[in-house]
């Protein structure tokens, strides 16, 4: 097999495409012939040594992938050779093959493409866990999605609309705002040119959003939190801005608001049955046409560094997917 190897987590330039022995699955594992893999923001942090999970080098990065089961280890009953699967295993996706715990793989329905499967679990799993599980979003409530044109942002728009909520999508350009409208957002805010707080006041009639979905962090966080409605729920997804913000906690007191951490990977490990139920609902919505990953770039697996450069420059709307021919 071939794979991108990280011998030293100092950044993207340290990755090398190498021939390496094809692994055999152990107990509870399967080997997957990878057809497609997608990039997520943590993939950049992992190869820079900045993520909370720090694999021992050498390792193959790439948390999310889809492919076909090629070999089955001892004790695996629910997957067979030839089954199409999507997986989120933390590492191993940026190559031609990987071995992963069978419990971390989702069988794909026949109508599910490998590209969509590779772009599905992390963004939609995160967004569903955030909005429906943590925030208990109800039909008729208003959701503000920051960074709305990115991978998790586009998933959050679709999930909130499927749940019957009103969506205000905030993004960094008019072009990205137009894309959010196409995905179903009711209103948009370009926070590069507009005043986030003033526009939220206008769009919500002074009430503020019920739920804020924040994968960005940085300077936007306090402005958004100051705008949140009574009993609002602020979802901490990540820090794509690169800066972890600090919030005056008196704001939570005055608003009766909750700050909720969202770590879907840990949720999936600790609460596998609840996660499985979430994924079943997401798969049903996909089959009904209510949700579908937005994939702006498809590149050969050999062009991982070019894909990382696109993501690092924040030039990606939706997801970047790498494919093996």
């Amino acid at each position: 097999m071939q794979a991108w190897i990280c011998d030293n987590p100092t950044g993207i330039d340290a990755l090398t495409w190498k021939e390496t022995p094809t692994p055999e699955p152990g107990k509870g594992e399967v080997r997957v012939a990878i057809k497609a893999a997608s990039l997520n923001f943590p993939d950049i942090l992992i190869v820079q040594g900045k993520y909370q999970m720090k694999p021992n080098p050498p390792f193959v990065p790439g948390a999310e992938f889809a492919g076909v089961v090629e070999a089955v280890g001892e004790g695996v009953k629910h997957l067979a050779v030839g089954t199409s699967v999507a997986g989120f295993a933390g590492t191993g996706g940026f190559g031609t093959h990987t071995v992963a715990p069978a419990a971390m793989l989702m069988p794909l329905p026949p109508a599910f493409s490998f590209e969509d499967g590779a772009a599905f679990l992390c963004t939609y799993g995160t967004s569903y866990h955030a909005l429906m599980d943590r925030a208990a979003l109800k039909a008729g409530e208003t959701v503000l999605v920051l960074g709305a044109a990115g991978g998790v942002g586009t998933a959050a728009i679709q999930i909130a609309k499927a749940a019957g909520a009103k969506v205000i999508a905030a993004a960094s350009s008019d072009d990205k705002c137009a894309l959010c409208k196409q995905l179903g957002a009711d209103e948009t805010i370009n926070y590069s040119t507009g005043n986030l707080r003033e526009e939220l006041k206008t769009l919500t009639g002074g009430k503020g959003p019920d739920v804020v979905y924040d994968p960005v962090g940085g300077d936007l966080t306090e402005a958004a939190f100051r705008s949140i409605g009574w009993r609002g729920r602020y979802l901490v997804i990540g820090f794509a801005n690169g800066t972890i913000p600090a919030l005056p906690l008196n704001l939570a007191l005055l608003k009766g608001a909750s700050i909720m951490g969202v770590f879907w990977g840990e949720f999936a490990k600790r609460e596998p049955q609840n996660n499985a139920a979430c994924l079943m609902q997401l798969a049903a919505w996909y089959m009904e046409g209510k949700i579908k990953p937005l994939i702006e770039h498809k590149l050969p697996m050999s062009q991982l560094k070019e894909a990382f450069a696109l993501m690092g420059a924040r030039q990606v709307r939706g997801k970047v997917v790498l494919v093996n021919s």
Side-chain angles (χ1 to χ4, degrees):
M1 62 169 278
Q2 291 178 297
W4 284 98
I5 305 296
C6 182
D7 291 302
N8 186 14
T10 57
I12 297 163
D13 290 339
L15 296 172
T16 51
W17 180 250
K18 292 182 181 179
E19 190 78 30
T20 185
T22 303
E24 292 298 325
K27 186 176 181 180
E29 296 179 331
V30 301
R31 184 172 71 234
V32 178
I34 295 172
K35 302 298 183 182
S38 72
L39 272 70
N40 295 287
F41 187 63
D43 293 321
I44 294 180
L45 298 179
I46 285 174
V47 300
Q48 294 172 336
K50 296 179 180 179
Y51 195 55
Q52 52 257 42
M53 181 189 75
K54 293 180 170 58
N56 293 323
F59 65 90
V60 178
E64 192 173 22
F65 55 87
V68 178
V69 174
E70 196 175 71
V72 176
E74 179 188 348
V76 176
K77 304 296 183 185
H78 69 291
L79 296 174
V81 172
T83 303
S84 296
V85 293
F88 186 86
T91 57
F94 296 151
T96 59
H97 298 77
T98 192
V99 163
M104 302 299 290
L105 301 176
M106 169 186 166
L108 288 177
F112 227 117
S113 71
F114 288 118
E115 289 86 355
D116 282 355
F120 191 76
L121 286 182
C122 181
T123 51
Y124 286 86
T126 294
S127 297
Y128 190 97
H129 171 49
L131 293 168
M132 307 308 296
D133 181 31
R134 299 291 283 133
L137 180 66
K138 300 178 180 64
E141 290 190 309
T142 298
V143 179
L144 168 66
V145 180
L146 300 174
V152 288
T154 55
I157 292 171
Q158 294 176 23
I159 288 169
K161 292 305 298 180
K166 176 183 177 180
V167 175
I168 301 172
S172 61
S173 70
D174 289 340
D175 179 57
K176 289 179 178 179
C177 286
L179 172 70
C180 294
K181 278 278 193 179
Q182 294 172 20
L183 292 172
D186 298 282
E187 305 287 351
T188 61
I189 298 171
N190 179 346
Y191 48 69
S192 292
T193 57
N195 183 299
L196 182 65
R197 292 195 68 198
E198 290 302 318
E199 295 201 38
L200 282 173
K201 189 181 293 185
T202 300
L203 292 174
T204 63
K207 281 183 57 181
D210 300 290
V211 176
V212 177
Y213 182 99
D214 183 6
V216 181
D219 295 339
L220 291 176
T221 296
E222 185 169 335
F225 196 74
R226 286 185 179 276
S227 301
I228 203 167
W230 175 249
R231 289 183 182 265
R233 289 89 80 199
Y234 200 101
L235 298 166
V236 181
I237 313 298
F239 312 104
N241 174 275
T243 303
I244 298 176
L247 279 174
L249 287 181
N250 66 306
L251 296 176
L253 182 153
L254 295 170
K255 300 274 189 173
S258 301
I259 302 170
M260 298 177 166
V262 179
F263 189 0
W264 172 72
E266 194 65 19
F267 162 72
K269 290 177 186 176
R270 289 175 178 265
E271 303 180 39
Q273 291 183 325
N274 289 337
N275 181 55
C278 294
L279 294 180
M280 284 181 63
Q281 178 62 72
L282 287 169
W285 279 348
Y286 177 90
M287 300 303 288
E288 293 167 11
K290 292 182 178 179
I291 60 175
K292 181 177 173 61
L294 172 66
I295 300 172
E296 186 174 36
H297 300 280
K298 293 182 185 178
L299 301 172
M301 187 68 74
S302 59
Q303 293 185 21
L304 173 62
K305 291 186 179 181
E306 289 86 341
F308 268 133
L310 287 170
M311 178 171 278
R314 300 187 70 179
Q315 295 178 11
V316 177
R317 302 180 305 173
K319 298 276 279 188
V320 181
V321 170
L322 302 167
V323 295
N324 285 313
S325 58

